[in-house]
Amino acid sequence: MKNNTESITCYEDKEHMIELMDRYHSDDPQVHQAAKEQLLEENGKLLTFFIKRFANSYLPEYLDPLFNEMVIMFLEKIGSYDPRKAKLSTFLTNPAMRVAADFRDRGRSCAGIDFRFSVRTARLDDEKRPHIVNNSAKPGSSACKGHVHHV
């Protein structure tokens, strides 16, 4: 019986991933870059799976920023991945959970109320009440960059 992530990754066998990771660790910058792009392209559906699994209640407008954070996490972690020891989905599960939780927590701390409610309120009251994009929760802080705050 297949698990949920087997159909998500494009590579069928461990040997393909071993070869791809060997190219990723190449000293040739062009080979390294090509392998990195191929890894990301082949595993984009895995990142989408993580979002659906760990952040399924997010509003659609937050899915692109969350996907971008998943890509950053993927690029940071892929260098230490060894396909001989684990499947990529297993290797990335905990980091993906942390990305989704951190994204959620930043949204809540910035708005001061439930993340989903604040966005719905902004959308419903957009014509009635002006809003601003505040680039910091506290002066000098970048923790809440780009989140909507009401005035």
Side-chain angles (χ1 to χ4, degrees):
M1 186 165 112
K2 284 186 169 186
N3 66 30
N4 289 339
T5 58
E6 282 187 48
S7 63
I8 292 170
T9 55
C10 291
Y11 62 89
E12 291 296 322
D13 57 71
K14 185 167 45 171
E15 294 305 314
H16 171 73
M17 193 59 162
I18 290 171
E19 183 268 330
L20 195 52
M21 288 305 297
D22 286 344
R23 288 192 295 132
Y24 177 84
H25 291 294
S26 170
D27 292 332
D28 183 346
Q30 292 177 335
V31 172
H32 170 79
Q33 183 63 29
K36 182 166 54 170
E37 289 172 9
Q38 185 177 353
L39 280 163
L40 192 55
E41 183 178 318
E42 289 184 6
N43 293 288
K45 288 182 182 178
L46 178 62
L47 302 181
T48 301
F49 169 78
F50 285 139
I51 291 171
K52 288 179 181 176
R53 182 169 178 203
F54 302 127
N56 63 354
S57 64
Y58 285 14
L59 292 170
E61 54 265 30
Y62 288 100
L63 297 181
D64 282 342
L66 180 55
F67 183 81
N68 291 339
E69 291 198 25
M70 289 285 181
V71 168
I72 291 168
M73 174 274 301
F74 178 86
L75 294 173
E76 289 174 349
K77 298 292 182 183
I78 196 66
S80 60
Y81 172 61
D82 183 354
R84 294 168 190 90
K85 294 182 180 179
K87 286 187 172 186
L88 185 60
S89 57
T90 303
F91 177 76
L92 292 176
T93 296
N94 285 335
M97 280 192 306
R98 284 192 296 275
V99 167
D102 290 347
F103 188 85
R104 179 199 63 227
D105 293 344
R106 275 196 319 273
R108 285 186 177 158
S109 68
C110 293
I113 54 176
D114 182 63
F115 195 51
R116 291 169 32 171
F117 176 77
S118 66
V119 175
R120 285 191 179 115
T121 303
R123 196 177 327 131
L124 292 173
D125 294 341
D126 197 33
E127 295 175 2
K128 298 176 189 173
R129 189 168 68 192
H131 63 278
I132 59 169
V133 175
N134 187 348
N135 287 332
S136 61
K138 297 177 186 173
S141 168
S142 63
C144 299
K145 200 169 195 173
H147 290 281
V148 175
H149 294 271
H150 298 288
V151 288

